Amino acid sequence: MTRAATPDFAVNDVVRLDGGGRTAAFASFNSGVPCLVHFGQPLPQSEDLAALAIATIPNVGAGQIDPFLPLTLCPLAITGWQGHPGMILQTADGRDYLANPKLERIEAENGGISGVRFTLLDRGNPDGARLVISARLDPRTGILQLSQTLTIPEDWSCSWLAAPAVPVPAEMNRIIDHSGRWCGEFRRQETQFQTGTYGRESREGRTGHAHFPGVTLATPATGERTGACLAATLAWSGGHRMLAEELPDGRRQVQMSVLDDGLARGEITSPTLLLCWSDQGFNGASHAFHDHLRTIQAPANARRRREAHPVHYNCWEAVYFRHDLEELKTIASLAAGLGAERFVLDDGWFRGRNDDTSSLGDWEIDHAKFPDGLKPLIDHVHTEGMRFGLWFEPEMVNRDSDLFRANPEYMLGPEDQPSGRNQHVLDMANEKVRAHLFNQIDAILSAHDIDYVKWDHNRPLTGGGPDQARGFMTLLADLVAAHPDVDFESCSSGGGRIDFGVLELASRVWLSDSNDALERLRMQHEASRWIAPEVQGSHVGPRHCHTSGRVLSMPFRAWVAAQRHMGFEMDPRELTAEETDTLRRVTTWWKQNRDFLFSGALHRLESEDAEMFAEMTVDAAANRFILFAGQAGASAQIYRRPLRAAGLDPDAIYQLRLINPEDVSHLANRRIVNALAEGGTMKLSGAFLMNHGIRLPNAVPASMTVLEGHRITAESQS
């Protein structure tokens, strides 16, 4: 952090942070709340930041408040801001209070290099509102992390405190975010700024399938590889609100924070807002968020740092609640033979759990199903060379359970509320509830060799504010601390709780309850805008998909799963010999390449074909790449369009070969002239591959083409 000199103008303090190839510059006008006057490309050290701040102020027009100041990190009406405020306060008698914060001091954080903290006190009432705004620029990823803490008198209240507000550059008129639903998560949608507010809210008490807490702002010309964009996401696992607003004067802002219909008191802290600027298209922003995840991912998990991501087998769509020890052993042995490295016992293992109507909350082993406990199954799984994982849904309770009968007051909400999936929600803000759950889960994990927990949350809430989410995070953090060698997966009916808050503790997300490879192809592609590939669990499902009814080929199902953290979730006894051979082949390839896939940079490719979802992973030196081209439906054109690569060295020559030539359709390529389709190789330059593109073999719907490229050295070329 460097602090510039104070000019004579009303710019009282200017601060810059530099890191990750980015500069963030802040300025305080008239000793007020600082403004983010620049975030993006690095500025020269000789830049006069006071002059830069002044240059952001437009001329005042008729009917406007003078001076016309930029958006502050906490915009307030007292400064003349006419849009949505950054905080809304009420005094003891319930009247709205317009705070007027004055900058009291600036302190360096993180050694004074990449962090700063601004402390402000209310000008009219120094004993009233106290606001502390923190900013940190990650020196590796260039992501700006913003949060603020408000302290008010105990008899005051706050009905809204946003994370610091972000000004949106005038050229970025596109608003891109994601909606979704159960078994259809991460559906991209796009609108444009216009006068007024575009808002999104999750009222489920969790992140929600329909409202991933992130938004990308982009110019009209921004694409996957080129152009500028600004991406923001909220690190928070509960109800939230996002608004993107344009005022009649042209100023734009983005605000995000906790959605709380109640009144907060005392000290209130916003979640952290992660802000990324890219001048290399949407892929540039994704790379920063992927690197951020790889930095924070499950920091307490020592095993995760030294071992490869294991191939999962989950028994849910094979047996559902029907848990028979001998049958499970048979399935485990078959899964191991296919290449599975971890066996996960899903719902149905605990006392009295034979369907979804009972027993949630009674986290004790069902001795009717497992007379000698889980140890015989775990021992068998270990004998087959696999690890063992277990399913929990700790935040839920059935009325037909010993827990509910003994403690009905543990249930969140009124007695006559509707149920969801025959279950209700436990009050996670209640310390007694958390202690009960910790003791039961800790007892199971302590008594068994379990290294993975699938943590589910299968219904939205019908009440419960942010304290519910905070209680969940507290319980999960306590369990992670007590069991640092256990991987925790965030599952919430699939993708209902995916965010950068829970991912500080959970090392994997179950992206969707849908194992339909066509759905997965699309949603994995879109989720990659935020979530690194190794964090997304993806399983090879049954031949006849249980959620969509589609019948899809084994090569397609297997290769779609191989794009992410691979696993199986079917009854292996249904597989034909040909399907078994295919799945083993793809799984073996994935094991050999997972470290590469999960350490390189993932580039989404622009195919000019709405039915193709293509992406490639490139290593840091651009020596090698792996490209997946998934064909969802029939293309509008007869021949497959050339697919332009990304991230390569234009001066390098690459040798290309298909990884799966056996999957190429000879019906779609009746007269094959493409050497790749015949299992041969090609040598092409990075310049040609990125500008003209490679023409892959024609593809039929629901198929995958996998291509690998290696840089050829000068010696090998000769």
Side-chain angles (χ1 to χ4, degrees):
M1 178 186 79
T2 58
R3 186 169 178 177
T6 303
D8 294 334
F9 188 70
V11 180
N12 302 101
D13 280 287
V14 287
V15 171
R16 67 180 289 163
L17 303 176
D18 294 281
R22 305 287 183 266
T23 297
F26 303 88
S28 172
F29 294 86
N30 299 325
S31 297
V33 178
C35 308
L36 180 61
V37 292
H38 172 82
F39 177 56
Q41 68 273 17
L43 299 175
Q45 288 298 323
S46 58
E47 185 83 53
D48 184 339
L49 295 183
L52 181 152
I54 295 169
T56 65
I57 302 177
N59 293 317
V60 177
Q64 298 296 304
I65 292 176
D66 187 1
F68 187 84
L69 298 181
L71 174 81
T72 70
L73 295 171
C74 187
L76 299 168
I78 196 69
T79 66
W81 175 252
Q82 301 297 302
H84 197 285
M87 66 177 175
I88 302 175
L89 303 180
Q90 299 83 31
T91 58
D93 57 5
R95 292 181 300 167
D96 287 343
Y97 180 76
L98 293 181
N100 189 8
K102 177 183 178 182
L103 183 61
E104 292 291 322
R105 63 180 181 272
I106 302 175
E107 301 166 281
E109 291 186 340
N110 300 299
I113 299 173
S114 58
V116 62
R117 182 169 60 248
F118 303 99
T119 299
L120 302 102
L121 297 177
D122 192 7
R123 298 173 197 259
N125 184 0
D127 296 325
R130 179 178 185 269
L131 188 65
V132 177
I133 302 174
S134 296
R136 179 179 181 271
L137 185 60
D138 190 293
R140 196 170 64 85
T141 65
I143 288 178
L144 183 62
Q145 302 179 38
L146 299 166
S147 65
Q148 58 185 352
T149 298
L150 172 69
T151 305
I152 53 177
E154 289 297 329
D155 55 354
W156 288 23
S157 59
C158 174
S159 55
W160 173 252
L161 178 69
V166 174
V168 180
E171 68 273 16
M172 295 184 181
N173 64 331
R174 297 164 64 192
I175 304 170
I176 302 164
D177 57 8
H178 287 88
S179 181
R181 57 169 173 79
W182 179 73
C183 286
E185 291 84 344
F186 281 95
R187 294 184 178 273
R188 178 177 171 170
Q189 55 188 26
E190 182 171 336
T191 185
Q192 290 194 342
F193 274 102
Q194 54 187 344
T195 302
T197 300
Y198 172 75
R200 298 288 303 276
E201 289 186 354
S202 171
R203 292 184 170 271
E204 297 182 18
R206 57 184 178 180
T207 315
H209 294 77
H211 301 287
F212 175 78
V215 63
T216 302
L217 302 316
T219 73
T222 301
E224 299 290 7
R225 302 192 306 169
T226 59
C229 65
L230 196 65
T233 185
L234 196 67
W236 169 246
S237 288
H240 57 273
R241 174 185 293 146
M242 182 278 289
L243 60 89
E245 182 179 39
E246 179 173 314
L247 272 61
D249 57 42
R251 287 180 291 178
R252 296 170 177 162
Q253 68 157 336
V254 164
Q255 278 189 31
M256 295 186 195
S257 197
V258 172
L259 180 63
D260 187 359
D261 290 330
L263 299 176
R265 302 181 185 276
E267 182 176 284
I268 309 113
T269 299
S270 77
T272 298
L273 183 75
L274 305 176
L275 183 66
C276 175
W277 176 85
S278 168
D279 61 351
Q280 298 178 18
F282 301 125
N283 282 330
S286 297
H287 296 160
F289 284 113
H290 293 182
D291 287 346
H292 176 74
L293 267 183
R294 287 166 180 168
T295 299
I296 68 171
Q297 191 74 121
N301 195 318
R303 174 179 293 171
R304 187 53 179 273
R305 289 196 291 268
R306 67 176 184 265
E307 295 184 2
H309 295 72
V311 178
H312 270 52
Y313 175 78
N314 185 292
C315 70
W316 177 243
E317 293 195 4
V319 298
Y320 289 93
F321 297 102
R322 189 186 71 252
H323 286 197
D324 174 82
L325 178 58
E326 294 306 316
E327 184 180 16
L328 289 169
K329 284 182 178 181
T330 298
I331 290 172
S333 296
L334 291 171
L338 294 168
E341 297 165 306
R342 175 183 278 152
F343 180 94
V344 180
L345 187 64
D346 211 285
D347 192 357
W349 59 267
F350 49 99
R351 179 162 45 85
R353 184 69 162 178
N354 297 310
D355 54 34
D356 65 8
T357 65
S358 73
S359 304
L360 279 177
D362 299 339
W363 300 109
E364 297 175 1
I365 297 166
D366 190 334
H367 287 281
K369 296 178 181 178
F370 301 98
D372 298 312
L374 293 179
K375 190 174 185 304
L377 178 59
I378 294 174
D379 288 346
H380 178 79
V381 166
H382 289 166
T383 299
E384 293 289 354
M386 295 186 291
R387 309 174 200 170
F388 186 82
L390 196 60
W391 178 94
F392 286 90
E393 193 174 3
E395 299 153 87
M396 301 294 160
V397 66
N398 290 123
R399 289 179 181 271
D400 182 7
S401 67
D402 290 345
L403 177 63
F404 182 81
R405 284 185 283 270
N407 300 102
E409 74 279 6
Y410 283 4
M411 186 178 77
L412 179 69
E415 171 65 24
D416 59 351
Q417 65 177 288
S419 66
R421 199 180 181 246
N422 300 302
Q423 63 194 52
H424 294 278
V425 183
L426 292 171
D427 183 1
M428 298 302 292
N430 186 330
E431 187 175 355
K432 292 181 179 179
V433 172
R434 296 198 303 272
H436 169 80
L437 293 172
F438 178 89
N439 290 337
Q440 285 204 312
I441 298 169
D442 176 68
I444 296 288
L445 298 182
S446 297
H448 301 86
D449 191 354
I450 296 171
D451 77 344
Y452 170 86
V453 167
K454 178 181 177 182
W455 185 300
D456 216 336
H457 182 288
N458 275 309
R459 59 154 289 176
L461 275 61
T462 51
D467 285 344
Q468 180 75 8
R470 294 187 185 105
F472 152 68
M473 292 294 288
T474 298
L475 175 60
L476 180 56
D478 289 346
L479 286 165
V480 167
H483 300 278
D485 284 341
V486 175
D487 274 348
F488 287 83
E489 176 183 77
S490 176
C491 174
S492 187
S493 289
R497 186 152 59 193
I498 298 175
D499 57 78
F500 282 78
V502 74
L503 283 171
E504 292 189 22
L505 297 168
S507 57
R508 190 179 194 254
V509 297
W510 185 227
L511 195 62
S512 177
D513 277 346
S514 174
N515 282 316
D516 183 312
L518 276 173
E519 287 287 344
R520 282 281 181 159
L521 179 67
R522 177 200 56 76
M523 72 176 71
Q524 290 175 180
H525 190 77
E526 285 301 316
S528 73
R529 300 187 183 280
W530 303 96
I531 309 300
E534 66 270 26
V535 179
Q536 302 178 36
S538 185
H539 295 173
V540 181
R543 184 186 310 118
H544 191 284
C545 181
H546 291 189
T547 55
S548 70
R550 287 194 184 105
V551 176
L552 297 168
S553 72
M554 176 56 76
F556 184 59
R557 285 181 281 152
W559 283 117
V560 169
Q563 291 184 287
R564 299 296 186 260
H565 187 176
M566 188 177 189
F568 318 143
E569 190 166 344
M570 89 293 277
D571 190 335
R573 295 169 295 186
E574 80 170 23
L575 300 179
T576 65
E578 183 179 3
E579 288 174 328
T580 297
D581 289 344
T582 298
L583 185 52
R584 283 177 179 155
R585 167 171 58 88
V586 177
T587 303
T588 299
W589 178 90
W590 187 83
K591 289 180 179 180
Q592 295 168 347
N593 291 277
R594 57 187 159 191
D595 288 344
F596 176 83
L597 290 170
F598 298 160
S599 62
L602 185 149
H603 298 261
R604 289 174 305 278
L605 305 181
E606 293 162 322
S607 67
E608 309 302 331
D609 182 348
E611 296 298 331
M612 182 190 287
F613 296 86
E615 58 191 42
M616 61 188 287
T617 300
V618 186
D619 67 355
N623 289 329
R624 182 189 177 205
F625 68 86
I626 295 173
L627 185 153
F628 293 91
Q631 189 74 25
S635 299
Q637 68 283 349
I638 296 174
Y639 306 120
R640 219 171 188 183
R641 296 187 185 277
L643 189 60
R644 291 185 299 152
L648 303 180
D649 180 349
D651 297 325
I653 302 297
Y654 293 90
Q655 181 164 292
L656 315 179
R657 71 179 182 92
L658 279 187
I659 299 298
N660 61 335
E662 56 272 273
D663 299 331
V664 171
S665 169
H666 286 259
L667 290 176
N669 299 272
R670 293 183 61 187
R671 184 180 176 188
I672 296 178
V673 295
N674 189 316
L676 294 175
E678 296 174 324
T681 63
M682 286 184 177
K683 296 179 182 179
L684 296 169
S685 70
F688 180 86
L689 289 169
M690 290 191 292
N691 292 294
H692 180 275
I694 179 68
R695 192 179 287 278
L696 296 171
N698 296 328
V700 297
S703 66
M704 181 75 77
T705 307
V706 188
L707 180 73
E708 183 173 17
H710 288 269
R711 183 195 292 256
I712 302 175
T713 62
E715 293 78 9
S716 60
Q717 289 184 57
S718 61

